[in-house]
């Protein structure tokens, strides 16, 4: 436990903030860490000295400014750790990479500042959920690139951690960010509607001129993001989800066929392939012991119909698939939760996502960390080819033999070259937590030895553990020192 005498100045700063932002927004115990809160992944609790819950950007600037001033005056304070809705399940939820920290919870910043379906963007704060934004877009010509996670997750939080939607990685939708910097100042980076650099009629230019600053603040501890400009996608005139099943012995050839169809434009969005274990976890009905691929075919009425028929003919020609059919002609059974979720999500809806969450965790969004079944994630990128997928799943088989934990895998083919492999480790929190964490450790080790590294990290495997290029890491540390020389922000998972 951190010696409380190391933070003699914390109590005074927090009392100052009670006056500045309201006593109800400050929770602290200057003498000791706050009681640990549960998380669905059973990561060890870190030393959290206070929780601040700002209700406005002005509150965020006030609290960051107070910490900056105290540290500039020689005060000893923990760093600030920002979370959005805190629903980073499987990767640590609200837990920081290391303590001590003062946590800043941003779900009280929940304004949809601007929605422009003509130009195709929304300006959202961290407390805006994908359910709220997607429902506002229902019936319009635009849609949100939604994920298959709960509708109650943050659009901003998932985007800045480089999450993946049903269309592509969400950073592709990121146009601009509003950031409170470590000295309390406010900056807009990327494209921002109506600012002095970009008139509202300008075409989107998120990279700006010169070195882009936008992605200094994705997977970053260089400031606190208080709003984002998110691109809204054109809604297809017609969309159909084609589902196909195949067995493990056909895996390599089937993946290579999927890549060919993706590369040649027969399929739009992210191809999703669930294995038996992941299907069972998420509620996918009877798989017959094999794999289920979901593909979106879309366009105008005429082009989408032609593409769908061409895709089905290609599938039949391979002889690899045990069944294949369009969802609009063969609706999924009611108990096939996965199919309902994916079909709706391709259309920008999260109408069925809570059913999948309940299947995976046995809890609703507000109770996952307290009551849910154990859940861990490992998220590597793979080359989009059959041999790479087989190699990855062979590693998962080895992990199962070594630990008794059966990983599930979902292939998310982002484009014709890259797969986001979602590896889930479901476990019983009362009896299997140690084995599940051993399984996760082995995934980091064995995938790393195979040259397959994660693109997102959990709170137990920060950059220093996961590895990476030494020169790149040194440059990032130098940038952090330049932007935050006083250490106002706590070092995050990617430091």
């Amino acid at each position: 436990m951190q010696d409380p005498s190391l933070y003699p100045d914390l109590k005074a700063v927090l009392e100052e903030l009670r006056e500045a932002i309201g006593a109800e927004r400050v929770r602290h115990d200057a003498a000791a860490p706050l009681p640990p809160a549960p998380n669905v992944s059973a990561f060890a609790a870190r030393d959290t000295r206070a929780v601040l819950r700002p209700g406005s950007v002005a509150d965020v600037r006030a609290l960051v400014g107070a910490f900056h001033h105290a540290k500039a005056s020689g005060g000893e304070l923990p760093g600030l750790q920002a979370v959005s809705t805190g629903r980073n399940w499987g990767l640590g939820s609200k837990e920081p990479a290391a303590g001590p920290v003062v946590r800043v919870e941003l779900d009280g910043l929940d304004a949809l500042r601007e929605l422009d379906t003509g130009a195709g963007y929304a300006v959202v704060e961290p407390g805006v959920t994908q359910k709220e934004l997607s429902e506002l877009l229902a019936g319009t010509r635009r849609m949100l690139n939604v994920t298959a996670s709960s509708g109650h997750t943050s659009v901003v939080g998932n985007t800045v951690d480089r999450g993946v939607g049903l269309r592509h990685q969400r950073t592709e939708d990121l146009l601009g960010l509003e950031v409170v910097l470590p000295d309390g100042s406010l900056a807009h980076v990327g494209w921002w509607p109506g600012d002095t650099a970009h008139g509202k009629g300008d075409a989107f230019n998120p990279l700006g001129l010169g070195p882009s600053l936008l992605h200094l603040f994705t997977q970053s501890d260089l400031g606190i993001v208080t709003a984002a400009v998110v691109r809204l996608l054109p809604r297809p005139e017609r969309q159909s989800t084609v589902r196909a099943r195949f067995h493990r012995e056909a895996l390599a050839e089937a993946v290579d066929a999927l890549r060919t169809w993706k590369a040649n434009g027969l399929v739009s969005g992210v191809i999703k392939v669930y294995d038996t274990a992941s299907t069972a976890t998420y509620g996918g009905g009877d798989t017959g012991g094999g794999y289920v691929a979901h593909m979106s075919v879309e366009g105008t009425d005429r082009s989408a119909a032609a593409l769908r028929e061409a895709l089905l003919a290609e599938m039949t020609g391979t002889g690899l698939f045990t069944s294949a059919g369009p969802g609009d002609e063969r609706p999924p059974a009611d108990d096939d939760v996965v199919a309902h979720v994916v079909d709706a999500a391709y259309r920008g809806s999260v109408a069925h996502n809570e059913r999948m969450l309940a299947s995976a965790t046995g809890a609703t969004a507000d109770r996952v960390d307290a009551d849910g079944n154990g859940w861990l994630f490992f998220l590597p990128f793979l080359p989009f080819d059959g041999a790479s997928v087989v190699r990855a799943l062979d590693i998962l088989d080895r992990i199962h033999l070594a630990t008794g934990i059966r990983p599930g895998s979902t292939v998310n083919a982002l484009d014709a070259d890259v797969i986001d492999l979602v590896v889930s480790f479901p476990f019983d929190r009362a009896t299997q937590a140690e084995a599940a964490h051993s399984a996760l450790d082995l995934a980091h080790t064995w995938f790393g030895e195979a040259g397959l590294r994660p693109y997102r990290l959990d709170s137990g495997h920060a950059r220093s553990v996961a590895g990476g290029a030494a020169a790149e890491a040194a440059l990032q540390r130098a940038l952090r020192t330049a932007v935050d020389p006083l250490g106002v922000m706590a070092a995050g998972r990617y430091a």
Side-chain angles (χ1 to χ4, degrees):
M1 181 180 295
Q2 181 72 45
D3 182 351
S5 66
L6 292 179
Y7 301 110
D9 305 299
L10 179 59
K11 183 175 182 179
V13 172
L14 294 176
E15 288 299 331
E16 174 188 335
L17 288 174
R18 283 179 176 272
E19 295 293 325
I21 68 174
E24 73 282 1
R25 300 191 180 279
V26 180
R27 175 176 172 239
H28 76 286
D29 183 348
L34 294 172
N39 67 84
V40 72
S41 301
F43 283 106
R46 273 65 169 189
D47 181 340
T48 299
R49 290 305 173 100
V51 176
L52 305 176
R53 294 183 52 79
S56 65
V57 176
D59 286 351
V60 178
R61 295 188 66 184
L63 68 89
V64 173
F67 272 66
H68 180 269
H69 176 75
K71 288 203 170 197
S73 302
E76 294 285 348
L77 299 172
L80 297 170
Q81 173 224 357
V83 301
S84 52
T85 60
R87 290 171 173 148
N88 198 20
W89 300 310
L91 299 176
S93 301
K94 294 180 182 179
E95 285 298 323
V101 300
V102 169
R103 187 167 68 240
V104 182
E105 298 183 351
L106 299 170
D107 54 320
L109 276 68
D110 58 2
L112 172 61
R113 297 190 191 172
E114 192 171 345
L115 181 64
D116 190 326
T117 57
Y121 69 86
V123 182
V124 293
E125 293 184 343
V128 174
T129 67
Q130 62 171 355
K131 180 178 187 293
E132 292 166 337
L133 184 52
S134 64
E135 287 179 349
L136 284 171
L137 293 169
T140 74
R141 296 174 63 186
R142 297 283 179 169
M143 66 181 190
L144 180 66
N145 175 24
V146 300
T147 76
S149 185
S150 168
H152 300 290
T153 53
S154 167
V155 175
V156 173
N158 184 257
T159 299
V160 298
D161 202 33
R162 303 180 189 157
V164 168
L166 268 287
R167 292 287 152 182
H168 40 244
Q169 196 166 18
R170 271 178 150 176
T171 45
E172 294 186 30
D173 304 317
L174 183 60
L175 298 175
L177 289 172
E178 178 182 270
V179 185
V180 175
L181 298 174
D183 63 357
S185 61
L186 192 70
H188 288 159
V189 293
W191 184 88
W192 199 266
D195 68 14
T196 56
H198 310 284
K200 188 170 179 178
D202 287 353
F204 301 141
N205 181 19
L207 299 182
L209 295 172
S212 174
L213 300 179
L214 182 59
H215 290 286
L216 278 178
F217 301 99
T218 60
Q219 292 191 348
S220 170
D221 51 21
L222 299 180
I224 296 179
V225 173
T226 51
V229 187
V230 176
R231 187 193 300 267
L232 306 175
L233 306 180
R235 192 180 296 277
E237 185 174 299
R238 179 174 177 182
Q239 188 276 334
S240 177
T241 303
V242 173
R243 289 185 295 278
R245 299 172 186 268
F246 59 93
H247 291 301
R248 176 73 179 255
E249 55 267 25
L251 177 62
E253 291 177 283
V255 168
D256 287 338
L258 294 173
R259 182 190 184 279
T260 297
W261 301 330
K262 177 67 174 173
N264 286 278
L266 273 71
V267 178
S268 299
V270 171
I271 299 173
K272 296 184 75 72
V273 183
Y274 291 84
D275 71 2
T276 305
S278 64
T279 297
T281 297
Y282 298 130
D286 181 16
T287 66
Y291 294 76
V292 183
H294 304 254
M295 292 155 280
S296 182
V297 179
E298 57 199 50
T300 63
D301 284 343
R302 185 177 297 172
S303 66
L307 286 170
R308 188 185 71 174
E309 294 310 309
L311 178 61
L312 292 171
E314 292 276 350
M315 286 186 174
T316 300
T318 67
L320 298 170
F321 298 89
T322 59
S323 68
D328 47 0
E329 291 183 3
R330 302 179 191 174
D334 183 65
D335 66 346
D336 192 347
V337 178
V338 171
H340 284 287
V341 167
V342 173
D343 188 47
Y346 279 138
R347 300 193 303 273
S349 168
V350 295
H352 298 276
N353 289 31
E354 305 316 304
R355 292 179 66 197
M356 181 182 281
L357 180 70
S359 294
T361 69
T364 57
D366 60 340
R367 300 299 300 174
V368 167
D369 282 311
D371 302 329
N373 305 325
W375 212 13
L376 285 165
F377 282 133
F378 177 69
L379 303 169
F381 275 161
L382 311 181
F384 192 171
D385 61 73
S388 294
V389 174
V390 169
R391 179 173 52 157
L393 298 193
D394 285 346
I395 295 173
L396 298 186
D397 288 341
R398 290 169 54 201
I399 291 172
H400 182 208
L401 288 173
T403 65
I405 300 295
R406 172 74 267 184
S409 67
T410 305
V411 166
N412 290 320
L414 305 184
D415 54 34
D417 297 307
V418 179
I419 284 171
D420 153 36
L421 186 68
V422 177
V423 179
S424 59
F425 298 94
F427 63 96
D428 184 287
R429 288 165 76 171
T431 63
Q432 295 182 306
E434 183 176 353
H437 279 264
S438 294
L440 179 61
D441 290 341
L442 287 176
H444 278 272
T445 299
W446 289 347
F447 275 81
E449 291 171 353
L452 304 172
R453 300 191 183 278
Y455 71 98
R456 293 174 69 188
L457 295 174
D458 58 78
S459 62
H461 295 84
R463 184 191 184 96
S464 59
V465 177
E472 182 184 57
L475 176 57
Q476 289 186 333
R477 287 194 296 271
L479 286 170
R480 189 176 196 281
T481 299
V483 175
D484 187 13
L486 300 176
V488 173
M489 303 297 168
R493 288 168 286 157
Y494 306 100

